[in-house]
Amino acid sequence: MSLLQPDRYFSRVSAISANFDVSRKGYRFVFLDVDNTVKRRDTHDVPPDVRSWIVDLKERGIGVCLVSNNWHKGVHETARDLDVPIAAKALKPLPIGFLRACRKLGAKPHEVLMVGDQIGTDILGAHLLGMGAYLVCPLCEVDILSSRIAHSFERLFISDLEPEGVEACDASRS
């Protein structure tokens, strides 16, 4: 598999089964990108279904850590709000932030699943360390210019893939 090819592609994080897609795959830890993966870029809110999914992971004993290239106050507030650690200024796709997150949780890379909305940062960075990597659709279309440009190139790598969990996602919005 290519370093740029996600292991799985989902409509959003809440479409990933904590039991079947995380625990049964052998992952003991989940690292999450923040902007447009956990928190909407337009409203800066964590959607209720995403919040519930993170709570479910923690209740199952799965360690959760946010891994973000950002360093501003907002990502730290999100981590506090969700009661999870954060590796900010991660410099994804470089290993430094992922390894910092591993140290925070006592995780080995092969035990970690990274979930994020960008191939060039989240998927590539995780695969460089031997982590699992699931791609999710961005929570909203609003994004910073560099991310919008990245997403347009990334569509080339996933053009033949349909995200899993669209039905579950639609039901969670009802």
Side-chain angles (χ1 to χ4, degrees):
M1 180 174 283
S2 160
L3 290 174
L4 297 173
Q5 187 70 31
D7 299 327
R8 304 270 298 277
Y9 178 36
F10 290 90
S11 58
R12 61 196 287 134
V13 297
S14 60
I16 301 168
S17 166
N19 185 26
F20 294 106
D21 302 320
V22 180
S23 293
R24 289 198 178 173
K25 298 282 185 190
Y27 297 116
R28 296 181 51 228
F29 304 92
V30 173
F31 293 173
L32 294 161
D33 174 54
V34 177
D35 292 317
N36 261 344
T37 298
V38 168
K39 181 171 78 168
R40 291 179 61 94
R41 179 80 74 176
D42 56 354
T43 64
H44 306 290
D45 293 330
V46 176
D49 64 305
V50 174
R51 185 179 299 277
S52 295
W53 185 79
I54 292 170
V55 168
D56 184 34
L57 288 177
K58 292 171 23 179
E59 287 174 351
R60 292 172 181 273
I62 297 167
V64 178
C65 186
L66 302 182
V67 180
S68 177
N69 282 347
N70 287 319
W71 60 90
H72 54 75
K73 183 174 78 168
V75 294
H76 293 280
E77 289 172 351
T78 300
R80 275 191 300 279
D81 178 47
L82 295 171
D83 192 28
V84 296
I86 184 168
K89 297 182 191 174
L91 301 175
K92 296 180 290 183
L94 300 177
I96 187 169
F98 295 102
L99 293 173
R100 193 169 353 112
C102 283
R103 282 192 303 276
K104 286 178 182 254
L105 296 182
K108 294 179 176 63
H110 70 274
E111 302 173 312
V112 176
L113 171 65
M114 176 65 199
V115 178
D117 70 315
Q118 290 194 16
I119 292 172
T121 54
D122 305 313
I123 305 306
L124 175 61
H127 281 165
L128 287 172
L129 287 170
M131 297 176 175
Y134 291 172
L135 181 69
V136 294
C137 297
L139 286 172
C140 69
E141 294 297 318
V142 174
D143 216 332
I144 59 175
L145 179 61
S146 61
S147 292
R148 288 195 319 262
I149 293 169
H151 284 302
S152 65
F153 284 112
E154 291 170 351
R155 286 187 187 99
L156 299 172
F157 291 96
I158 58 170
S159 61
D160 59 335
L161 297 177
E162 189 69 32
E164 300 175 49
V166 174
E167 304 81 22
C169 178
D170 291 341
S172 74
R173 291 182 182 141
S174 308

